[in-house]
């Protein structure tokens, strides 16, 4: 069952646009088991990537639990 879930999750992750090298990408996905981290250079890229992942996962029968979804913004700017 876990293997099937991982294969379906991977199919959803592959639908996101991750072209380019790590230094030139505006976003990156890291996944382990059922946890996914979206790293993005801009808030817009983060939102777009999340929406794409959510839509692709839904097509495959997976639903993202928004109650367990967390986000963190890291910046060099002083707030």
């Amino acid at each position: 069952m876990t293997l099937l879930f991982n294969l379906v999750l991977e199919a959803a992750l592959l639908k996101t646009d991750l072209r380019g090298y790590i230094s030139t990408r505006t976003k990156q996905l890291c996944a382990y088991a059922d946890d996914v981290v979206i790293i993005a250079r801009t808030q817009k890229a983060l939102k777009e990537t999340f929406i794409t992942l959510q839509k692709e996962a839904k097509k495959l029968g997976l639903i993202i639990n928004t109650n367990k979804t967390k986000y963190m913004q890291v910046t060099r700017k002083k707030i």
Side-chain angles (χ1 to χ4, degrees), residues 35-63:
D35 295 322
V36 178
V37 176
I38 302 171
I39 302 167
R41 294 182 188 265
T42 66
Q43 190 174 24
K44 180 182 176 188
L46 179 65
K47 286 180 182 179
E48 289 173 353
T49 305
F50 177 77
I51 290 168
T52 301
L53 180 58
Q54 189 175 38
K55 287 179 182 177
E56 294 301 326
K58 189 173 183 178
K59 288 179 188 176
L60 298 169
L62 300 178
I63 299 171

Side-chain angles (χ1 to χ4, degrees), residues 72-76:
M72 177 176 69
Q73 181 177 359
V74 179
T75 180
R76 292 183 185 173

Side-chain angles (χ1 to χ4, degrees), residues 11-38:
L13 293 172
L14 290 174
K15 295 289 184 170
T16 60
D17 180 22
L18 296 175
R19 291 175 289 171
Y21 296 102
I22 188 68
S23 60
T24 60
R25 286 186 194 151
T26 58
K27 59 194 172 249
Q28 181 177 5
L29 293 174
C30 299
Y32 180 78
D34 64 344
D35 295 322
V36 178
V37 176
I38 302 171

